[in-house]
Amino acid sequence: MIVAFGLAACDPYPQTAPGPDGLAPPKVTRIRKGQESKVQFRMLDSLNSLRSASGAGPVQLESKLTAAAATHSRDMANQGRPWHFGSDGSSPIDRVARTGYPGTMLGEVISETYETELETLAAWMDQKDTRQILMDPQAINMGFSWYQQRNGKIWWTLLMGN
């Protein structure tokens, strides 16, 4: 019996107690200093692979759209809710215009999660409305950023433009 208890303690797959919603608690993804460009380019490469498979042309990372995305990610965290309007009442169109982006903003997708950028992209692709924005054949530019709180929650924002 002692041996059985000893072997049970060596379980290579420890069980995690479910949260109050019955689901496994989220695995916190930490984005460390120096990883920012890797995260952005993983998203860009993955999105372009998905766009290519659907017949849409590639997009490129655009600094002004990324600045608007970064501003909105931080603002959503400050508001404590994922939504498309800024604390000042601004819309995605307003925020993109403030950066001086010369093109047209085609759409914005957002998320509040503990997941990686690729898990977030997969969730966006599972939803018809966000998938349409990401696969818009008119898009040539992408802005992508996030804000991570101390507790690990990440507020993601991705903008598409042409």
Side-chain angles (χ1 to χ4, degrees), residues 74-95:
R74 181 178 286 273
D75 191 40
M76 285 190 298
N78 289 336
Q79 293 182 67
R81 60 181 171 178
W83 74 324
H84 295 283
F85 294 95
S87 57
D88 62 355
S90 63
S91 72
I93 295 168
D94 298 330
R95 290 189 298 276

PDB file of all heavy atoms in Angstrom, residues 74-95:
ATOM      1  N   ARG A  74      -4.283  48.635 -24.251  1.00  0.00           N
ATOM      2  CA  ARG A  74      -4.083  49.205 -22.911  1.00  0.00           C
ATOM      3  C   ARG A  74      -5.384  49.823 -22.391  1.00  0.00           C
ATOM      4  O   ARG A  74      -5.734  49.670 -21.220  1.00  0.00           O
ATOM      5  CB  ARG A  74      -2.971  50.236 -22.914  1.00  0.00           C
ATOM      6  CG  ARG A  74      -2.703  50.841 -21.537  1.00  0.00           C
ATOM      7  CD  ARG A  74      -1.561  51.834 -21.561  1.00  0.00           C
ATOM      8  NE  ARG A  74      -0.275  51.191 -21.684  1.00  0.00           N
ATOM      9  CZ  ARG A  74       0.439  50.739 -20.663  1.00  0.00           C
ATOM     10  NH1 ARG A  74      -0.024  50.842 -19.439  1.00  0.00           N
ATOM     11  NH2 ARG A  74       1.612  50.179 -20.854  1.00  0.00           N
ATOM     12  N   ASP A  75      -6.111  50.496 -23.263  1.00  0.00           N
ATOM     13  CA  ASP A  75      -7.359  51.129 -22.852  1.00  0.00           C
ATOM     14  C   ASP A  75      -8.401  50.085 -22.435  1.00  0.00           C
ATOM     15  O   ASP A  75      -9.112  50.284 -21.441  1.00  0.00           O
ATOM     16  CB  ASP A  75      -7.896  52.007 -23.977  1.00  0.00           C
ATOM     17  CG  ASP A  75      -9.042  52.898 -23.534  1.00  0.00           C
ATOM     18  OD1 ASP A  75      -8.981  53.444 -22.408  1.00  0.00           O
ATOM     19  OD2 ASP A  75     -10.010  53.042 -24.300  1.00  0.00           O
ATOM     20  N   MET A  76      -8.494  48.971 -23.171  1.00  0.00           N
ATOM     21  CA  MET A  76      -9.436  47.919 -22.771  1.00  0.00           C
ATOM     22  C   MET A  76      -9.070  47.390 -21.388  1.00  0.00           C
ATOM     23  O   MET A  76      -9.953  47.157 -20.552  1.00  0.00           O
ATOM     24  CB  MET A  76      -9.436  46.765 -23.784  1.00  0.00           C
ATOM     25  CG  MET A  76     -10.152  47.059 -25.068  1.00  0.00           C
ATOM     26  SD  MET A  76     -10.370  45.576 -26.108  1.00  0.00           S
ATOM     27  CE  MET A  76      -8.676  45.092 -26.443  1.00  0.00           C
ATOM     28  N   ALA A  77      -7.783  47.192 -21.133  1.00  0.00           N
ATOM     29  CA  ALA A  77      -7.344  46.706 -19.821  1.00  0.00           C
ATOM     30  C   ALA A  77      -7.735  47.704 -18.736  1.00  0.00           C
ATOM     31  O   ALA A  77      -8.223  47.307 -17.665  1.00  0.00           O
ATOM     32  CB  ALA A  77      -5.837  46.466 -19.814  1.00  0.00           C
ATOM     33  N   ASN A  78      -7.544  48.987 -19.000  1.00  0.00           N
ATOM     34  CA  ASN A  78      -7.916  50.014 -18.017  1.00  0.00           C
ATOM     35  C   ASN A  78      -9.419  50.049 -17.764  1.00  0.00           C
ATOM     36  O   ASN A  78      -9.867  50.296 -16.652  1.00  0.00           O
ATOM     37  CB  ASN A  78      -7.429  51.395 -18.465  1.00  0.00           C
ATOM     38  CG  ASN A  78      -5.932  51.541 -18.379  1.00  0.00           C
ATOM     39  OD1 ASN A  78      -5.266  50.842 -17.619  1.00  0.00           O
ATOM     40  ND2 ASN A  78      -5.373  52.446 -19.171  1.00  0.00           N
ATOM     41  N   GLN A  79     -10.203  49.787 -18.816  1.00  0.00           N
ATOM     42  CA  GLN A  79     -11.661  49.758 -18.673  1.00  0.00           C
ATOM     43  C   GLN A  79     -12.145  48.445 -18.057  1.00  0.00           C
ATOM     44  O   GLN A  79     -13.262  48.377 -17.553  1.00  0.00           O
ATOM     45  CB  GLN A  79     -12.331  49.922 -20.039  1.00  0.00           C
ATOM     46  CG  GLN A  79     -12.140  51.272 -20.677  1.00  0.00           C
ATOM     47  CD  GLN A  79     -12.888  51.338 -21.992  1.00  0.00           C
ATOM     48  OE1 GLN A  79     -14.125  51.310 -22.008  1.00  0.00           O
ATOM     49  NE2 GLN A  79     -12.160  51.416 -23.086  1.00  0.00           N
ATOM     50  N   GLY A  80     -11.322  47.401 -18.178  1.00  0.00           N
ATOM     51  CA  GLY A  80     -11.704  46.094 -17.651  1.00  0.00           C
ATOM     52  C   GLY A  80     -12.756  45.388 -18.479  1.00  0.00           C
ATOM     53  O   GLY A  80     -13.491  44.536 -17.972  1.00  0.00           O
ATOM     54  N   ARG A  81     -12.821  45.702 -19.775  1.00  0.00           N
ATOM     55  CA  ARG A  81     -13.783  45.023 -20.644  1.00  0.00           C
ATOM     56  C   ARG A  81     -13.296  45.058 -22.086  1.00  0.00           C
ATOM     57  O   ARG A  81     -12.738  46.045 -22.546  1.00  0.00           O
ATOM     58  CB  ARG A  81     -15.161  45.649 -20.545  1.00  0.00           C
ATOM     59  CG  ARG A  81     -15.219  47.096 -20.935  1.00  0.00           C
ATOM     60  CD  ARG A  81     -16.621  47.631 -20.781  1.00  0.00           C
ATOM     61  NE  ARG A  81     -16.621  49.086 -20.961  1.00  0.00           N
ATOM     62  CZ  ARG A  81     -17.686  49.805 -20.918  1.00  0.00           C
ATOM     63  NH1 ARG A  81     -18.860  49.241 -20.704  1.00  0.00           N
ATOM     64  NH2 ARG A  81     -17.638  51.109 -21.097  1.00  0.00           N
ATOM     65  N   PRO A  82     -13.527  43.938 -22.792  1.00  0.00           N
ATOM     66  CA  PRO A  82     -13.162  43.913 -24.201  1.00  0.00           C
ATOM     67  C   PRO A  82     -14.298  44.468 -25.059  1.00  0.00           C
ATOM     68  O   PRO A  82     -15.367  43.881 -25.126  1.00  0.00           O
ATOM     69  CB  PRO A  82     -12.943  42.419 -24.478  1.00  0.00           C
ATOM     70  CG  PRO A  82     -13.871  41.740 -23.517  1.00  0.00           C
ATOM     71  CD  PRO A  82     -13.957  42.636 -22.312  1.00  0.00           C
ATOM     72  N   TRP A  83     -14.067  45.615 -25.644  1.00  0.00           N
ATOM     73  CA  TRP A  83     -15.047  46.153 -26.571  1.00  0.00           C
ATOM     74  C   TRP A  83     -14.357  47.126 -27.498  1.00  0.00           C
ATOM     75  O   TRP A  83     -13.211  47.504 -27.284  1.00  0.00           O
ATOM     76  CB  TRP A  83     -16.254  46.714 -25.863  1.00  0.00           C
ATOM     77  CG  TRP A  83     -16.138  48.019 -25.131  1.00  0.00           C
ATOM     78  CD1 TRP A  83     -15.075  48.502 -24.429  1.00  0.00           C
ATOM     79  CD2 TRP A  83     -17.138  49.017 -25.033  1.00  0.00           C
ATOM     80  NE1 TRP A  83     -15.360  49.714 -23.889  1.00  0.00           N
ATOM     81  CE2 TRP A  83     -16.629  50.061 -24.248  1.00  0.00           C
ATOM     82  CE3 TRP A  83     -18.426  49.133 -25.524  1.00  0.00           C
ATOM     83  CZ2 TRP A  83     -17.352  51.208 -23.953  1.00  0.00           C
ATOM     84  CZ3 TRP A  83     -19.151  50.267 -25.213  1.00  0.00           C
ATOM     85  CH2 TRP A  83     -18.615  51.284 -24.443  1.00  0.00           C
ATOM     86  N   HIS A  84     -15.050  47.520 -28.548  1.00  0.00           N
ATOM     87  CA  HIS A  84     -14.414  48.278 -29.623  1.00  0.00           C
ATOM     88  C   HIS A  84     -14.383  49.777 -29.410  1.00  0.00           C
ATOM     89  O   HIS A  84     -13.820  50.494 -30.233  1.00  0.00           O
ATOM     90  CB  HIS A  84     -15.090  47.947 -30.961  1.00  0.00           C
ATOM     91  CG  HIS A  84     -14.890  46.525 -31.365  1.00  0.00           C
ATOM     92  ND1 HIS A  84     -13.712  46.064 -31.905  1.00  0.00           N
ATOM     93  CD2 HIS A  84     -15.709  45.451 -31.280  1.00  0.00           C
ATOM     94  CE1 HIS A  84     -13.810  44.766 -32.148  1.00  0.00           C
ATOM     95  NE2 HIS A  84     -15.015  44.373 -31.776  1.00  0.00           N
ATOM     96  N   PHE A  85     -14.950  50.268 -28.306  1.00  0.00           N
ATOM     97  CA  PHE A  85     -14.965  51.701 -28.079  1.00  0.00           C
ATOM     98  C   PHE A  85     -13.987  52.077 -26.975  1.00  0.00           C
ATOM     99  O   PHE A  85     -13.890  51.406 -25.950  1.00  0.00           O
ATOM    100  CB  PHE A  85     -16.382  52.183 -27.737  1.00  0.00           C
ATOM    101  CG  PHE A  85     -17.306  52.022 -28.903  1.00  0.00           C
ATOM    102  CD1 PHE A  85     -18.104  50.899 -29.023  1.00  0.00           C
ATOM    103  CD2 PHE A  85     -17.330  52.970 -29.914  1.00  0.00           C
ATOM    104  CE1 PHE A  85     -18.924  50.727 -30.120  1.00  0.00           C
ATOM    105  CE2 PHE A  85     -18.146  52.799 -31.024  1.00  0.00           C
ATOM    106  CZ  PHE A  85     -18.947  51.680 -31.118  1.00  0.00           C
ATOM    107  N   GLY A  86     -13.257  53.157 -27.207  1.00  0.00           N
ATOM    108  CA  GLY A  86     -12.280  53.622 -26.240  1.00  0.00           C
ATOM    109  C   GLY A  86     -12.951  54.304 -25.068  1.00  0.00           C
ATOM    110  O   GLY A  86     -14.128  54.684 -25.121  1.00  0.00           O
ATOM    111  N   SER A  87     -12.200  54.503 -24.003  1.00  0.00           N
ATOM    112  CA  SER A  87     -12.735  55.163 -22.806  1.00  0.00           C
ATOM    113  C   SER A  87     -13.128  56.603 -23.105  1.00  0.00           C
ATOM    114  O   SER A  87     -13.921  57.191 -22.378  1.00  0.00           O
ATOM    115  CB  SER A  87     -11.721  55.100 -21.666  1.00  0.00           C
ATOM    116  OG  SER A  87     -10.497  55.681 -22.066  1.00  0.00           O
ATOM    117  N   ASP A  88     -12.601  57.165 -24.182  1.00  0.00           N
ATOM    118  CA  ASP A  88     -12.964  58.521 -24.601  1.00  0.00           C
ATOM    119  C   ASP A  88     -14.092  58.524 -25.628  1.00  0.00           C
ATOM    120  O   ASP A  88     -14.417  59.555 -26.206  1.00  0.00           O
ATOM    121  CB  ASP A  88     -11.737  59.237 -25.161  1.00  0.00           C
ATOM    122  CG  ASP A  88     -11.173  58.557 -26.404  1.00  0.00           C
ATOM    123  OD1 ASP A  88     -11.659  57.468 -26.788  1.00  0.00           O
ATOM    124  OD2 ASP A  88     -10.219  59.116 -26.986  1.00  0.00           O
ATOM    125  N   GLY A  89     -14.695  57.365 -25.877  1.00  0.00           N
ATOM    126  CA  GLY A  89     -15.781  57.243 -26.841  1.00  0.00           C
ATOM    127  C   GLY A  89     -15.317  56.988 -28.265  1.00  0.00           C
ATOM    128  O   GLY A  89     -16.139  56.903 -29.176  1.00  0.00           O
ATOM    129  N   SER A  90     -14.013  56.861 -28.453  1.00  0.00           N
ATOM    130  CA  SER A  90     -13.475  56.682 -29.806  1.00  0.00           C
ATOM    131  C   SER A  90     -13.825  55.311 -30.376  1.00  0.00           C
ATOM    132  O   SER A  90     -13.925  54.325 -29.655  1.00  0.00           O
ATOM    133  CB  SER A  90     -11.962  56.865 -29.800  1.00  0.00           C
ATOM    134  OG  SER A  90     -11.345  55.873 -28.991  1.00  0.00           O
ATOM    135  N   SER A  91     -13.981  55.296 -31.693  1.00  0.00           N
ATOM    136  CA  SER A  91     -14.204  54.055 -32.435  1.00  0.00           C
ATOM    137  C   SER A  91     -12.861  53.596 -32.998  1.00  0.00           C
ATOM    138  O   SER A  91     -11.886  54.359 -33.000  1.00  0.00           O
ATOM    139  CB  SER A  91     -15.188  54.298 -33.576  1.00  0.00           C
ATOM    140  OG  SER A  91     -14.560  55.070 -34.595  1.00  0.00           O
ATOM    141  N   PRO A  92     -12.803  52.381 -33.546  1.00  0.00           N
ATOM    142  CA  PRO A  92     -11.560  51.961 -34.209  1.00  0.00           C
ATOM    143  C   PRO A  92     -11.159  52.924 -35.335  1.00  0.00           C
ATOM    144  O   PRO A  92      -9.981  53.224 -35.509  1.00  0.00           O
ATOM    145  CB  PRO A  92     -11.896  50.577 -34.764  1.00  0.00           C
ATOM    146  CG  PRO A  92     -13.006  50.079 -33.906  1.00  0.00           C
ATOM    147  CD  PRO A  92     -13.785  51.291 -33.508  1.00  0.00           C
ATOM    148  N   ILE A  93     -12.138  53.430 -36.070  1.00  0.00           N
ATOM    149  CA  ILE A  93     -11.853  54.378 -37.157  1.00  0.00           C
ATOM    150  C   ILE A  93     -11.198  55.633 -36.600  1.00  0.00           C
ATOM    151  O   ILE A  93     -10.213  56.137 -37.163  1.00  0.00           O
ATOM    152  CB  ILE A  93     -13.144  54.707 -37.943  1.00  0.00           C
ATOM    153  CG1 ILE A  93     -13.653  53.458 -38.657  1.00  0.00           C
ATOM    154  CG2 ILE A  93     -12.912  55.841 -38.938  1.00  0.00           C
ATOM    155  CD1 ILE A  93     -15.058  53.583 -39.237  1.00  0.00           C
ATOM    156  N   ASP A  94     -11.716  56.148 -35.490  1.00  0.00           N
ATOM    157  CA  ASP A  94     -11.141  57.339 -34.854  1.00  0.00           C
ATOM    158  C   ASP A  94      -9.688  57.094 -34.438  1.00  0.00           C
ATOM    159  O   ASP A  94      -8.813  57.930 -34.681  1.00  0.00           O
ATOM    160  CB  ASP A  94     -11.930  57.737 -33.598  1.00  0.00           C
ATOM    161  CG  ASP A  94     -13.368  58.113 -33.871  1.00  0.00           C
ATOM    162  OD1 ASP A  94     -13.674  58.628 -34.974  1.00  0.00           O
ATOM    163  OD2 ASP A  94     -14.209  57.869 -32.974  1.00  0.00           O
ATOM    164  N   ARG A  95      -9.449  55.944 -33.794  1.00  0.00           N
ATOM    165  CA  ARG A  95      -8.098  55.657 -33.286  1.00  0.00           C
ATOM    166  C   ARG A  95      -7.094  55.509 -34.429  1.00  0.00           C
ATOM    167  O   ARG A  95      -5.959  55.965 -34.330  1.00  0.00           O
ATOM    168  CB  ARG A  95      -8.116  54.410 -32.404  1.00  0.00           C
ATOM    169  CG  ARG A  95      -8.827  54.633 -31.080  1.00  0.00           C
ATOM    170  CD  ARG A  95      -8.645  53.458 -30.147  1.00  0.00           C
ATOM    171  NE  ARG A  95      -9.202  52.220 -30.686  1.00  0.00           N
ATOM    172  CZ  ARG A  95     -10.489  51.872 -30.585  1.00  0.00           C
ATOM    173  NH1 ARG A  95     -11.356  52.661 -29.987  1.00  0.00           N
ATOM    174  NH2 ARG A  95     -10.904  50.714 -31.081  1.00  0.00           N
TER     175      ARG A  95
END
